[in-house]
Amino acid sequence: MEIELRDRPACRAGRSRRAPGAGQEHRRRPHQRVVRRRGEPNLANLLAEDEHLAPFLAIPAKDNGFDVEGLAVHGETLYVGLRGPVLRGFAVVLELLPEEAAPGRLRLVPIEGERCYRKHFLDLGGLGVRDLCPHGPDL
């Protein structure tokens, strides 16, 4: 799976009127956006075949659907904490190992055999993940 990052200007939710010449010193800062190439797999496509998470991809986040809430990088590993779904009281954290495929492009390296992610189930008393933070060798 490869992901390409491109710069693009930040989008505004609304527009406001301003006096001519006002705000000239203000410029929108660029941010990264993800560009998927046709035919290449992405994380959603990979999870669509997952025995635990696939049924929740089409459900709205408010109704215990797929909802990413926490991200943390520890060494070369990216951890993705899910607020939803909560599965029988267990929260889910996905472990991904991205590597640079080319300048500005990332690809996921298989972790378990052919799978490009590893699932961790956490007993958080029926709650989902709200945030992830590295703490020494732990999260």
Side-chain angles (χ1 to χ4, degrees):
M1 176 174 132
E2 291 188 12
I3 299 171
E4 182 177 347
L5 301 175
R6 292 186 186 165
D7 289 330
R8 90 172 180 196
C11 297
R12 289 190 204 183
R15 299 193 181 272
S16 61
R17 292 185 170 209
R18 51 183 179 195
Q24 292 300 322
E25 70 285 347
H26 240 12
R27 294 196 188 269
R28 294 186 289 175
R29 287 196 245 159
H31 68 280
Q32 298 289 315
R33 69 180 173 132
V34 175
V35 177
R36 291 185 305 182
R37 297 186 181 275
R38 286 183 182 254
E40 291 185 8
N42 59 50
L43 186 59
N45 290 345
L46 295 174
L47 294 177
E49 299 174 9
D50 185 85
E51 62 184 317
H52 298 107
L53 300 175
F56 298 93
L57 293 176
I59 298 174
K62 291 181 180 180
D63 299 328
N64 198 38
F66 190 81
D67 186 10
V68 174
E69 190 82 18
L71 293 173
V73 176
H74 192 265
E76 299 288 320
T77 306
L78 171 66
Y79 293 92
V80 179
L82 303 182
R83 184 171 181 185
V86 175
L87 304 172
R88 296 188 182 244
F90 289 89
V92 180
V93 174
L94 299 175
E95 180 180 348
L96 307 171
L97 191 57
E99 73 174 7
E100 189 171 25
R105 296 192 69 183
L106 298 175
R107 105 173 124 234
L108 293 178
V109 177
I111 295 177
E112 294 180 346
E114 293 183 21
R115 208 176 255 192
C116 293
Y117 60 93
R118 181 180 295 142
K119 293 179 286 191
H120 300 275
F121 296 95
L122 307 175
D123 186 358
L124 300 180
L127 301 175
V129 174
R130 294 301 300 267
D131 195 11
L132 293 175
C133 179
H135 184 263
D138 300 320
L139 283 180

